[in-house]
Amino acid sequence: MYKERSHGRFITVEGTEGVGKSSNITFIQETLQKAGIDVVATREPGGTQLGEEVREMLLDHRHSGMSVDAELLLMFAARAQHIEQVIQPALKQGQWVLCDRFTDATYAYQGGGRGIPNERIATLERWVQDTLRPDMTVLLDLPVEIGLARAAERGVADRFEKEQQTFFEQVRQAYLVQAQKTPERYRIIDASRTLDEVQQQIAAVLQLILEEQGA
Ligand code: TMP
């Protein structure tokens, strides 16, 4: 199994738009660093030069006619590069990888949002990742209308952010289904609370994984 080949832990952070991913990822990174963990923070789509260029294509309005399969395959193309160049080497060296979105986002957005059957996504997941899966996934969960109102304050919407509320409702539901299927790695955080309360919830789940690690 993958875990036996590596020492680092792989933590992913997920959620729909406006759930507060950025500030909470910074909080997670700082908490782990204070516990003496060597953390590599990265993101998807992106994390490598190739991946960041693919990200630009994926988010660009000029590609409003992108087919759903092209979108799915570009996500996994960026992911393949990211795993080979960044994630696997870091985990093998014993570093912890903190990733802003990973394959759960594909099940949520391309599966739930765009309607691609889960089995197609699972085929690519096995192909590109082999047995690599996150050790822990922090899902920042929030009613969609609150998240969209927060995201609207951030300015220009990208190709995903311009989708309608119903799309994001489907994305949120797909995340919750993923969480039900793999409860051992999912930690659902109520992101409708104040930032302080959200961080208390996150600190509690990090404490558990740090204790397991003996850190
Ligand atoms: P964000 O990281 O700033 O939220 O932007 C990335 C966008 O890409 C976000 O709208 C979600 C979307 N996305 C997918 O649709 N599928 C994926 O697999 C990933 C990683 C992201």
Side-chain angles (χ1 to χ4, degrees):
M1 250 182 72
Y2 180 77
K3 266 187 215 160
E4 289 161 2
R5 299 202 308 266
S6 72
H7 302 289
R9 293 302 191 101
F10 183 24
I11 300 177
T12 59
V13 181
E14 301 282 355
T16 50
E17 312 303 308
V19 292
K21 249 179 340 99
S22 305
S23 44
N24 287 306
I25 285 173
T26 305
F27 174 75
I28 294 173
Q29 186 176 5
E30 287 172 358
T31 305
L32 294 176
Q33 282 168 341
K34 277 186 204 147
I37 305 279
D38 186 2
V39 189
V40 174
T42 185
R43 69 171 180 182
E44 289 211 349
T48 64
Q49 188 181 343
L50 184 143
E52 291 294 330
E53 288 178 22
V54 170
R55 178 189 177 92
E56 278 181 30
M57 284 194 272
L58 280 162
L59 301 190
D60 194 330
H61 290 288
R62 284 181 308 161
H63 302 307
S64 58
M66 187 182 293
S67 82
V68 295
D69 283 343
E71 183 179 289
L72 173 68
L73 292 166
L74 285 173
M75 290 293 175
F76 271 102
R79 184 162 298 138
Q81 187 70 27
H82 195 206
I83 290 169
E84 185 176 308
Q85 197 180 323
V86 176
I87 298 176
Q88 294 268 30
L91 292 174
K92 279 188 181 150
Q93 281 178 32
Q95 293 174 300
W96 287 33
V97 176
L98 174 61
C99 195
D100 181 344
R101 300 195 186 282
F102 194 62
T103 306
D104 292 291
T106 313
Y107 282 103
Y109 283 78
Q110 282 66 53
R114 304 283 193 225
I116 295 179
N118 276 354
E119 194 36 54
R120 282 205 177 176
I121 300 173
T123 301
L124 291 169
E125 182 180 39
R126 285 190 294 270
W127 177 9
V128 169
Q129 295 170 220
D130 191 10
T131 56
L132 175 68
R133 300 289 181 278
D135 294 296
M136 185 171 88
T137 298
V138 176
L139 174 61
L140 297 165
D141 184 55
L142 181 71
V144 165
E145 62 275 21
I146 301 176
L148 289 180
R150 286 188 192 168
E153 291 167 14
R154 287 200 301 240
V156 188
D158 63 36
R159 199 174 62 84
F160 288 98
E161 289 165 340
K162 63 134 191 51
E163 290 294 337
Q164 301 300 308
Q165 184 166 335
T166 49
F167 175 87
F168 293 108
E169 298 284 1
Q170 288 162 344
V171 171
R172 182 184 183 203
Q173 283 316 310
Y175 270 129
L176 293 171
V177 168
Q178 281 290 103
Q180 266 178 354
K181 280 190 196 160
T182 46
E184 64 286 354
R185 74 174 164 90
Y186 256 93
R187 301 290 174 267
I188 302 179
I189 303 294
D190 178 359
S192 67
R193 315 297 282 267
T194 64
L195 186 60
D196 208 36
E197 287 167 334
V198 169
Q199 292 184 344
Q200 279 174 31
Q201 295 175 66
I202 294 175
V205 301
L206 290 178
Q207 193 54 41
L208 291 178
I209 195 169
L210 286 169
E211 278 168 14
E212 273 172 33
Q213 188 74 8

